[in-house]
């Protein structure tokens, strides 16, 4: 096997990791969660979760990946972990593959909307019906049909194959270096536009108005779950990416930078969405993910001058966020296949991604024509999401913390955080306490509360 791949620059590795973290979680989950859970009060809890727990857990995943220098399973094995421990890595690979199955389909929807905005087909609506029902009907056609969403998913899979087959530096890193600046630029423009709307201040107050009475234990647990999902923790992504970090990368600084940027994007999304929907009197509309981006926001764009421009920019943003996340999720399995089975990268890409053509075909049919096909009262789509995000993700995060904090030789975490003594001052002691005690305890609470349905 050739030499282990590495990211070529500091900016490139941060761009790639931010590309993974910034995804649909920031765009459609965060604003709705914040608004439903007490506005600014939720934000305070969320920020605490990101920095007190998210960052230390991210540093642990980085330490594990860079010390183990392999895929999510191989990293544990290279550190001499015995059976149950590398099983944590195996679970991460399973979770990421499950998430990949539906994330590819949703990323396809964003491409469809981007195309429909560019061609203006999205705004070619029945004027006799209300705008809301027209766009809801459009959404049914766009994401519920069987042929169009399927083609869009195939396109997403092909993009993934092309980028991942080229390699870490020339594929993932180069793409992130191009797309992340585009993402931030579009975000800035859209924030500017939204803030210049009539009732911008009122909209912001609606989003950020602190209601501390709404903070309950379940809000804290929601914030924690949102933080972990948004930072791409517990899925082997950060273990895999950090195996490509050079030895000189400062892990804590990288984790803080990535988390800050991820938070910034989430906040900017709120700043875009709330002034816009308030200014057009849509604040009582359903803010739940798909309806927010595929029905409510098109209503807003339709009422604005330059509809096509704003709509295209917004769906470009969404597509970029989604595609860079799918790439990171797919890389977990690609790295696993190529490291474990010693295959070439290209073969690993095909082994990982070709089955998705079959899966998405079945999935698209199950959402459209076969909408009656259900398991345990959920369609396959929700089932994959629920099992992966609510169960496997916390289990893997606890596994990583307990392994590094209690089982692995103590020097591994220390050496990686301090770059073998070369990193100057670093919060190694604090991180160690968090990953030994606080993180496993709190994440276990999230898991238990899920099972008790709190
Ligand atoms: N962090 C991504 C988001 O916020 C979600 C994601 C989940 C990315 C799993 C990769 C893997 O949407």
């Amino acid at each position: 096997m050739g030499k282990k791949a590495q990211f070529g620059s500091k900016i490139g590795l941060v761009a790639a990791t931010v590309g993974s973290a910034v995804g649909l979680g920031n765009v459609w989950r965060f604003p709705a969660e914040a608004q439903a859970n007490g506005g600014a009060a939720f934000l305070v809890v969320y920020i605490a979760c990101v920095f007190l727990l998210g960052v230390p857990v991210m540093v642990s995943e980085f330490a594990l990946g860079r010390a183990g220098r392999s895929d999510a399973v191989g990293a544990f094995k290279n550190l001499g972990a015995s059976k149950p421990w590398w099983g944590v890595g195996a679970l991460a690979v399973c979770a990421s593959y499950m998430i990949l199955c539906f994330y590819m389909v949703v990323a396809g929807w964003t491409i469809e909307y981007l195309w429909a905005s560019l061609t203006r087909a999205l705004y070619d609506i029945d004027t006799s019906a209300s705008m809301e029902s027209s766009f809801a009907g459009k959404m049914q056609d766009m994401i519920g049909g069987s042929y169009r969403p399927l083609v869009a998913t195939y396109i997403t899979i092909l993009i993934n194959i092309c980028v991942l087959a080229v390699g870490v530096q020339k594929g993932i890193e180069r793409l992130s270096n191009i797309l992340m600046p585009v993402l931030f630029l579009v975000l800035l423009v859209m924030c500017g536009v939204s803030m210049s709307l009539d009732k911008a201040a009122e909209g912001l107050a609606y989003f950020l108005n602190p209601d501390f009475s709404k903070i309950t234990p379940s809000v804290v647990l929601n914030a924690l779950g949102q933080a972990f999902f948004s930072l791409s923790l517990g899925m082997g992504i950060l273990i895999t990416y950090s195996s490509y970090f050079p030895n000189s990368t400062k892990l804590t600084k990288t984790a803080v930078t990535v988390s800050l940027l991820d938070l910034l994007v989430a906040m900017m999304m709120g700043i875009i969405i709330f002034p816009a929907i308030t200014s057009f009197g849509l604040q009582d509309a359903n803010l739940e993910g798909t309806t927010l981006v595929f029905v409510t926001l098109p209503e807003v764009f339709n009422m604005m001058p330059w509809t096509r421009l704003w709509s295209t920019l917004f769906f470009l943003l969404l597509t970029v966020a989604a595609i860079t996340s799918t790439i990171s999720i797919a890389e977990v399995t690609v790295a696993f296949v190529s490291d474990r089975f010693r295959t070439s990268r290209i073969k690993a890409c095909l082994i990982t991604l070709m089955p998705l053509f079959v899966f998405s075909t079945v999935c698209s049919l199950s959402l459209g024509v076969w909408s009656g096909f259900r398991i345990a009262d959920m369609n396959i789509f929700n089932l994959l999401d629920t099992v992966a995000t609510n169960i496997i993700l916390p289990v893997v995060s606890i596994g990583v913390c307990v392994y590094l904090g209690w089982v692995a030789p103590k020097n591994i975490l220390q050496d990686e955080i301090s770059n073998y003594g070369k990193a100057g001052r670093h919060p190694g002691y604090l991180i160690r306490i968090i990953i030994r005690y606080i993180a496993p305890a709190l994440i276990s609470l999230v898991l238990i509360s899920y099972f008790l349905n709190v």
Side-chain angles (χ1 to χ4, degrees):
M1 273 216 322
K3 212 173 143 281
K4 178 90 185 150
Q6 269 197 3
F7 286 118
S9 70
K10 241 188 249 173
I11 294 193
L13 73 87
V14 170
T17 317
V18 171
S20 168
V22 170
L24 301 168
N26 304 58
V27 181
W28 74 32
R29 199 157 180 255
F30 176 81
E33 287 269 318
Q35 199 265 335
N37 289 301
F42 175 84
L43 199 60
V44 174
V45 180
Y46 179 77
I47 292 174
C49 290
V50 166
F51 290 100
L52 296 179
L53 286 174
V55 169
V57 175
M58 190 182 281
V59 172
S60 323
E61 288 205 23
F62 283 168
L64 194 64
R66 194 172 63 174
R69 287 258 179 250
S70 188
D71 62 284
V73 173
F76 282 92
K77 287 196 165 175
N78 285 353
L79 296 179
S82 55
K83 210 178 203 164
W85 295 109
W86 63 254
V88 172
L91 258 183
V93 176
C94 294
S96 63
Y97 202 76
M98 288 163 91
I99 291 189
L100 184 63
C101 290
F102 71 84
Y103 216 100
M104 286 284 189
V105 180
V106 181
W109 298 344
T110 65
I111 294 182
E112 270 187 274
Y113 269 80
L114 175 59
W115 180 249
S117 301
L118 262 175
T119 57
R120 233 185 168 285
L122 179 59
Y123 296 95
D124 184 7
I125 50 171
D126 171 9
T127 42
S128 61
S130 78
M131 237 204 308
E132 188 186 344
S133 63
S134 302
F135 283 115
K138 274 263 176 219
M139 179 169 85
Q140 269 320 311
D141 288 352
M142 305 263 287
I143 73 179
S146 41
Y147 138 80
R148 249 197 326 216
L150 200 54
V151 173
T153 310
Y154 290 166
I155 295 174
T156 321
I157 301 173
L158 281 175
I159 297 176
N160 269 265
I161 294 181
C162 294
V163 174
L164 289 169
V166 183
V168 172
Q169 224 178 79
K170 294 205 178 118
I172 304 175
E173 183 171 348
R174 201 193 283 165
L175 181 87
S176 314
N177 277 339
I178 300 170
L179 291 186
M180 283 302 108
V182 171
L183 181 118
F184 275 91
L185 196 73
V186 177
L187 267 172
L188 267 180
V189 172
M190 301 284 299
C191 277
V193 172
S194 204
M195 294 300 289
S196 66
L197 293 172
D198 277 357
K199 295 192 183 155
E202 207 178 297
L204 272 191
Y206 182 72
F207 169 43
L208 292 177
N209 166 32
D211 179 356
F212 289 98
S213 68
K214 277 204 179 154
I215 299 211
T216 57
S218 86
V219 168
V220 178
L221 297 178
N222 282 342
L224 193 62
Q226 169 67 16
F228 273 57
F229 183 82
S230 189
L231 297 175
S232 304
L233 295 172
M235 287 173 240
I237 292 172
L238 303 176
I239 300 177
T240 309
Y241 269 22
S242 57
S243 71
Y244 309 134
F245 286 5
N247 283 335
S248 56
T249 304
K250 293 186 178 156
L251 301 187
T252 314
K253 195 171 155 195
T254 307
V256 171
T257 311
V258 170
S259 306
L260 270 176
L261 289 172
D262 184 65
L263 178 67
L264 183 69
V265 174
M267 299 270 314
M268 286 169 96
M269 279 322 301
I271 294 176
I272 293 171
I273 289 172
F274 288 96
I277 60 179
T278 316
S279 296
F280 292 99
L282 295 170
Q283 62 273 43
D284 295 325
N286 178 356
L287 293 184
E288 183 265 326
T290 35
T291 319
L292 170 68
V293 294
F294 297 139
V295 178
T296 313
L297 288 180
E299 280 184 71
V300 168
F301 299 136
N302 199 30
M303 287 187 270
M304 286 172 68
W306 297 349
T307 300
R308 178 155 47 160
L309 175 66
W310 305 132
S311 179
T312 305
L313 281 182
F314 178 79
F315 287 108
L316 176 68
L317 190 76
L318 207 58
T319 306
V320 168
I323 293 283
T324 47
S325 291
T326 58
I327 285 180
S328 73
I329 314 175
E331 174 63 14
V332 176
T333 311
V334 172
F336 171 77
V337 173
S338 77
D339 285 6
R340 289 306 89 207
F341 304 106
R342 303 191 185 281
T343 54
S344 70
R345 212 181 152 78
I346 297 190
K347 259 197 209 149
C349 278
L350 296 177
I351 294 173
T352 305
L353 292 159
M354 293 307 267
L356 289 179
F357 282 113
V358 179
F359 176 81
S360 58
T361 310
V362 174
C363 193
S364 136
L365 293 177
S366 81
L367 281 175
V369 185
W370 297 347
S371 57
F373 182 77
R374 299 171 87 79
I375 307 171
D377 207 30
M378 285 189 260
N379 63 33
I380 317 184
F381 217 60
N382 294 344
L383 190 73
L384 287 176
D385 183 15
T386 309
V387 174
T389 18
N390 296 335
I391 304 171
I392 307 186
L393 184 157
V395 171
V396 170
S397 301
I398 296 171
V400 168
C401 292
V402 172
Y403 178 69
L404 265 191
W406 296 91
V407 183
K410 190 174 170 191
N411 64 316
I412 292 182
L413 184 64
Q414 195 62 22
D415 288 347
E416 291 301 326
I417 295 179
S418 70
N419 282 1
Y420 291 80
K422 294 198 196 102
R425 278 167 57 86
H426 58 83
Y429 183 65
L430 190 63
I431 291 182
R432 196 173 165 75
I433 293 188
I434 294 178
I435 74 158
R436 286 186 84 157
Y437 304 100
I438 304 174
L442 282 175
I443 305 167
S444 304
L445 264 183
V446 175
L447 199 60
I448 294 168
S449 71
Y450 173 72
F451 281 110
L452 298 180
N453 219 344
V454 186

